[in-house]
């Protein structure tokens, strides 16, 4: 930005309030087939960015590198759950994408068709997404751990023509039967014409004649060159169903232009990625984190990424640290859930490995409680690496509130909105408030914002834009402090009201986890005659600690002391596990429904 005569970050934040100027400048850093006529067309709540511009995200992620030395640079260092590895250069990726592009075109796939991708974390997953985007077909990736029922529901919502899957995937040494699930789902999914099957595990599976095609046979004779469809910047890139922590999943719609611009910019600035970085985003590509920051943004930036099929603690709790050491990962992006799991196993596991390649850390998915923050900082970053706590959502497409490496940090805070983003905290009447919990909102549109919910613009309006007209309601509770720093407190639905005091479940959980005996905690509110709601906590203890009445009393006092006597749990239950979404988030509504003997609702996204 220096060339634009901006002296420092504060001045940049100030100038970036002119969002059309700011995003217009950033967008010039990408390759466009035709420049836009207007940066923004805003008919609340519907935004169009880079109107009239022609682009294809895949041209920016792959094609344009083919005449540069980048062609031979590694795009992915991949490791499978069993320990097998593959390395793909940008050139390799480009050729595979082209082969699949040709094969899909041969099957009649055209711009606008929907393709379901139900694959484990193998290189064929990004290859499939990129091939769809290259054609202008719309991909919808379904996390490979989802059940047949969850897959069917999403296939039917999207009206998909083709499903790309594998015979199976590996998870903790066991096979995940993706093909069998697909067969089951397709019993009741009439839109699907063909199923493309990657051979991953060599499982004995049934191939249905006329419908099922082996990936390797289909691609064998395809040319390694293919044309890239020229897309309008507002043409749909993908549909991604949200993880479903709060209810029925929503089909979030993203487009080629604005999305490319903002994910590229945020990855570049927040993690300050350079030519020789080895970037590892540990999410699954089935989540938005993987879409934006394993597939599209790192490729647009031209960096090398690590991609890992397995789980953090298999076969041993040092799997991740061994990967960091072996591939010399420089920037690691993980979830607080994973960090808390590692805390439970204790420091001895990372201590076995040389983690000196790391220079920066990141967190996403939930508020990171200060205890986990400090542990991450000390035992993984070894006191040398800042932690970028990035707040965002499937709907936002890219980081919105996050530090940059130069931002002074406060552990547990995602700091401030990024340049070009106007976030705030409102009270119930839509007035900005400071120092108190309220509704997290975004006041101006941003390029990677969802365009709508697929086939459901009414739900889009109602969920995000009705509470405060013309303002985006994130659905999270947050507090802004005197320095303008944001403290996300969890979901609005998870906020408790105890004797007239509003308490974030996260706040109480964070206090519990700061007790030396506690590994994880989940808090719910139970109806209470006097107090309105009473606090109930579910607690997982650290290794080596066991439940006792004394500990229970101790924990209650601890919370009273850490937060306030109002927050003191009425009940504590020691448990071995907590219900989580497959993206690792605690499903408090499931705990609550079970506790109160109510119906569980949609549990298609539940891990166990
Ligand atoms: P659904 O909307 O279907 O219920 P979900 O909200 O869990 O599912 P995601 O879009 O994957 O689906 O998650 C976004 C949410 O994750 C945010 O709204 C917020 O509650 C939480 N979150 C993400 N990053 C952070 C962060 N850095 N700090 C605090 N909370 C975060
Ligand atoms: Mg959400």
């Amino acid at each position: 930005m220096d060339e634009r005569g901006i002296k420092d970050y504060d001045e940049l934040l100030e100038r970036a309030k002119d969002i059309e100027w700011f995003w217009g400048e950033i967008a010039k850093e990408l390759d466009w087939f035709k420049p836009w006529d207007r940066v923004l067309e805003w008919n609340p709540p519907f935004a169009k960015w880079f109107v009239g511009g022609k682009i294809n995200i895949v041209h920016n992620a792959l094609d344009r590198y083919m005449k540069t030395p980048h062609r031979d640079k590694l795009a992915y260092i991949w490791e499978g759950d069993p320990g097998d590895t593959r390395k793909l250069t940008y050139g390799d990726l480009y050729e595979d994408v082209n082969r699949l592009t040709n094969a899909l075109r041969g099957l009649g796939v055209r711009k606008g068709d929907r393709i379901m991708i139900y694959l484990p974390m193998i290189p064929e997953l990004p290859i499939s997404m990129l091939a769809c985007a290259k054609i202008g077909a719309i991909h919808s990736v379904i996390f490979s751990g989802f059940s047949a029922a969850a897959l069917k529901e999403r296939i039917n919502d999207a009206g998909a023509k083709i499903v790309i899957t594998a015979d199976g995937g590996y998870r903790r040494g066991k096979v995940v039967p993706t093909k069998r699930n697909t067969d089951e789902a397709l019993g009741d999914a009439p839109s699907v014409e063909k199923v493309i099957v990657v051979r991953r595990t060599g499982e004995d599976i049934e191939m249905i004649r006329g419908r099922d095609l082996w990936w390797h046979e289909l691609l064998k004779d395809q040319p390694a060159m293919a044309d890239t469809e020229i897309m309008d910047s507002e043409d749909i890139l993908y549909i991604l169903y949200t993880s479903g922590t709060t209810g029925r999943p929503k089909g979030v719609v993203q487009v080629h232009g604005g999305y490319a611009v903002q994910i590229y910019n945020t990855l570049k600035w927040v993690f300050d990625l350079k030519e020789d970085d080895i970037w590892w985003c540990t999410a699954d590509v089935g989540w938005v984190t993987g879409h934006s920051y394993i597939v599209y943004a790192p490729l647009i930036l031209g960096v090398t990424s690590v991609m890992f099929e397995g789980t953090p603690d298999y076969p041993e709790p040092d799997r991740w640290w061994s990967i960091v050491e072996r591939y010399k990962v420089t920037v690691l992006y993980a979830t607080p859930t994973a960090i808390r799991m590692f805390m439970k196993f204790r420091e001895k596991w990372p201590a076995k490995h040389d983690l000196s390649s790391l220079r920066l850390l990141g967190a996403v998915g939930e508020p990171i409680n200060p205890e986990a923050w400090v542990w991450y900082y000390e035992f993984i970053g070894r006191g040398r690496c800042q932690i970028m706590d990035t707040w965002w959502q499937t709907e936002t497409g890219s980081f919105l509130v996050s530090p940059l490496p130069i931002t002074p940090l406060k552990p547990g805070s995602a700091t401030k909105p990024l340049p070009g983003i106007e976030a705030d905290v409102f009270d119930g009447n839509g007035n900005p408030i400071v120092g108190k919990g309220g509704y997290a909102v975004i006041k101006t549109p941003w390029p990677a914002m969802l365009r709508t919910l697929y086939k459901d613009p009414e739900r889009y309006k109602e969920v995000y834009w009705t509470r405060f007209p013309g303002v985006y309601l994130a659905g999270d509770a947050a507090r802004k402090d005197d320095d303008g720093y944001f403290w996300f407190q969890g979901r609005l639905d998870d906020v408790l009201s105890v004797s007239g005091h509003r308490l974030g479940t996260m706040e109480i959980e964070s206090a519990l986890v700061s007790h030396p005996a506690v590994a994880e905690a989940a808090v719910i509110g139970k109806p209470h005659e006097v107090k309105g709601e009473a606090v109930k906590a579910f607690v997982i203890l650290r290794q080596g600690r066991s439940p006792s009445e004394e500990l229970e009393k101790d924990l209650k006092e601890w919370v009273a002391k850490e937060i306030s006597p109002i927050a003191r749990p009425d009940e504590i239950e020691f448990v071995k596990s907590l219900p989580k979404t497959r993206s690792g988030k605690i499903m408090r509504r499931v705990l609550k429904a079970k506790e109160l003997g109510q119906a569980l609702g949609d549990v298609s996204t539940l891990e166990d």
Side-chain angles (χ1 to χ4, degrees):
M1 280 257 128
D2 297 338
E3 69 273 20
R4 292 158 192 139
I6 291 171
K7 286 191 295 298
D8 58 22
Y9 191 53
D10 284 332
E11 189 182 335
L12 173 64
L13 284 177
E14 213 31 58
R15 292 273 316 266
K17 285 185 178 160
D18 180 352
I19 54 173
E20 294 194 40
W21 168 80
F22 176 74
W23 292 113
E25 286 299 295
I26 300 293
K28 289 178 193 163
E29 294 170 19
L30 296 188
D31 256 25
W32 295 77
F33 300 126
K34 174 184 169 286
W36 53 93
D37 307 316
R38 285 182 63 191
V39 174
L40 172 66
E41 208 177 281
W42 179 221
N43 297 309
F46 297 99
K48 287 186 180 160
W49 284 88
F50 310 108
V51 183
K54 299 285 181 193
I55 192 171
N56 188 308
I57 196 166
V58 178
H59 173 79
N60 283 276
L62 291 177
D63 303 356
R64 63 175 172 153
Y65 288 126
M66 291 308 116
K67 290 200 182 91
T68 73
H70 245 87
R71 190 183 175 110
D72 299 319
K73 184 176 176 172
L74 285 180
Y76 291 113
I77 303 170
W78 174 83
E79 183 164 310
D81 179 81
D84 48 341
T85 61
R86 277 164 74 184
K87 289 184 176 169
L88 284 91
T89 63
Y90 276 79
D92 296 334
L93 194 61
Y94 172 77
E95 293 189 358
D96 277 346
V97 167
N98 288 344
R99 287 189 188 95
L100 181 61
T101 298
N102 290 323
L104 289 173
R105 282 189 174 136
L107 294 173
V109 175
R110 298 286 177 265
K111 182 177 165 183
D113 287 342
R114 276 84 57 215
I115 311 288
M116 230 64 190
I117 303 174
Y118 181 58
L119 283 171
M121 278 282 283
I122 54 178
E124 284 79 2
L125 175 46
I127 290 168
S128 299
M129 294 161 71
L130 292 159
C132 289
K134 186 155 183 144
I135 298 172
I138 299 166
H139 61 71
S140 187
V141 178
I142 308 297
F143 174 56
S144 63
F146 274 161
S147 63
L151 176 63
K152 182 189 76 183
E153 187 190 331
R154 290 162 177 76
I155 291 175
N156 287 332
D157 190 72
K161 191 163 169 175
I162 289 191
V163 178
I164 304 179
T165 188
D167 51 357
Y170 292 109
R171 191 180 155 83
R172 316 182 72 85
K174 295 203 193 80
V175 170
V176 182
T178 40
K179 176 62 165 69
R180 245 191 297 136
N181 289 344
T182 305
D183 290 341
E184 200 183 318
L186 292 191
D188 186 15
S191 60
V192 176
E193 294 166 13
K194 298 282 179 210
V195 177
I196 302 174
V197 187
V198 178
R199 183 177 278 155
R200 164 77 182 123
T201 60
E203 289 306 289
D204 200 9
I205 53 158
E206 195 190 342
M207 292 291 280
I208 295 178
R209 276 193 99 144
R211 189 195 75 183
D212 299 353
L213 305 157
W214 282 110
W215 171 291
H216 56 272
E217 287 174 7
L218 190 65
L219 266 64
K220 200 172 52 203
D221 299 320
Q222 297 293 349
M225 290 294 288
D227 290 339
T228 298
E229 190 79 26
I230 295 184
M231 303 295 283
D232 194 279
S233 33
E234 282 292 316
D235 280 335
I236 300 181
L237 172 63
Y238 66 72
I239 305 166
L240 178 61
Y241 294 89
T242 56
S243 71
T245 310
T246 49
R248 184 163 62 89
K250 304 176 273 284
V252 166
V253 170
Q254 281 292 355
V255 300
H256 274 252
Y259 177 72
V261 170
Q262 194 172 357
I263 58 168
Y264 150 80
N265 167 255
T266 48
L267 185 62
K268 181 174 165 186
W269 284 12
V270 170
F271 289 102
D272 189 28
L273 291 184
K274 302 275 193 323
E275 189 59 30
D276 51 359
D277 269 312
I278 306 287
W279 159 251
W280 185 18
C281 168
T282 57
D284 195 286
V285 169
W287 314 126
V288 71
T289 310
H291 279 58
S292 297
Y293 299 111
I294 295 176
V295 182
Y296 290 112
L299 294 175
I300 296 173
L301 271 175
V303 299
T304 300
S305 294
V306 168
M307 180 174 169
F308 175 49
E309 182 191 27
T311 41
D313 58 339
Y314 179 84
E316 297 278 10
D318 64 342
R319 182 70 183 268
W320 272 22
W321 317 124
S322 143
I323 290 176
V324 169
E325 179 175 25
R326 279 181 288 121
Y327 302 126
K328 303 204 164 33
V329 172
T330 59
V331 186
L332 175 73
Y333 188 40
T335 60
T337 320
I339 302 306
R340 286 194 295 270
M341 183 188 77
F342 288 123
M343 287 174 75
K344 191 171 70 182
F345 294 125
R346 309 240 161 166
E347 318 51 281
K348 66 174 191 226
W349 294 99
K352 291 179 187 201
H353 295 276
D354 176 7
L355 306 181
S356 61
S357 57
L358 290 172
R359 67 168 181 83
L360 200 57
L361 302 172
V364 62
E366 283 177 285
I368 179 163
N369 50 298
E371 196 72 7
W373 196 100
V374 168
W375 193 91
Y376 196 23
Y377 184 78
E378 268 184 34
F379 297 108
I380 306 306
R382 311 262 155 98
R384 296 177 299 104
C385 310
Q386 297 284 58
I387 299 171
M388 303 295 103
D389 179 359
T390 59
W391 176 86
W392 60 299
Q393 311 176 296
T394 309
E395 295 89 337
T396 70
S398 86
F399 315 147
L400 292 194
V401 180
S402 165
L404 300 183
I406 51 164
T407 311
L409 300 180
K410 299 187 188 187
S413 167
T415 77
K416 293 183 181 189
L418 288 165
I421 301 302
E422 224 188 303
D424 211 336
V425 177
F426 278 2
D427 68 11
N429 300 320
N431 301 310
I433 44 171
V434 176
K436 276 193 288 191
Y439 301 81
V441 296
I442 318 293
K443 297 201 278 196
T444 48
W446 63 100
M449 68 189 270
L450 77 165
R451 295 305 189 263
T452 188
L453 293 175
Y454 192 63
K455 288 195 305 203
D456 204 351
E458 285 310 312
R459 191 174 178 204
Y460 167 74
K461 280 190 208 163
E462 187 203 302
V463 174
Y464 308 107
W465 302 95
T466 304
R467 184 70 182 75
F468 307 110
V471 170
Y472 175 83
L473 179 77
D476 281 357
R479 178 171 59 81
K480 201 169 86 170
D481 70 17
D482 291 331
D483 300 324
Y485 278 50
F486 282 67
W487 300 80
F488 288 93
Q489 299 170 321
R491 290 135 206 293
L492 286 173
D493 318 15
D494 289 341
V495 173
L496 311 185
S497 174
V498 180
S499 308
H501 298 269
R502 285 167 66 79
L503 295 168
T505 51
M506 263 310 298
E507 219 175 332
I508 306 174
E509 288 159 7
S510 173
L512 282 164
V513 177
S514 70
H515 187 284
V518 177
E520 267 203 275
V523 163
I524 60 166
K526 286 175 76 170
H528 186 280
E529 276 184 18
V530 182
K531 297 197 270 190
E533 274 184 300
V535 177
K536 167 149 191 186
F538 298 83
V539 167
I540 302 180
L541 295 177
R542 286 211 197 191
Q543 268 183 349
R545 307 296 296 249
S546 46
S548 70
E549 243 171 68
E550 213 168 306
L551 181 57
E552 190 181 325
K553 252 174 54 197
D554 191 27
L555 290 179
K556 289 180 179 172
E557 283 320 303
W558 180 272
V559 174
K561 204 172 90 259
E562 292 280 306
I563 305 176
S564 109
I566 297 155
R568 184 201 319 262
D570 288 75
E571 266 180 82
I572 290 187
E573 186 175 331
F574 296 103
V575 292
K576 288 264 175 294
S577 69
L578 291 167
K580 288 187 180 169
T581 60
R582 287 153 211 260
S583 53
K585 293 176 191 179
I586 299 169
M587 291 174 88
R588 296 178 190 81
R589 71 177 165 90
V590 169
L591 283 171
K592 190 162 177 171
K594 272 187 91 172
E595 184 73 24
L596 304 180
Q598 297 163 343
L600 290 184
D602 184 336
V603 287
S604 62
T605 61
L606 189 65
E607 167 86 37
D608 289 308

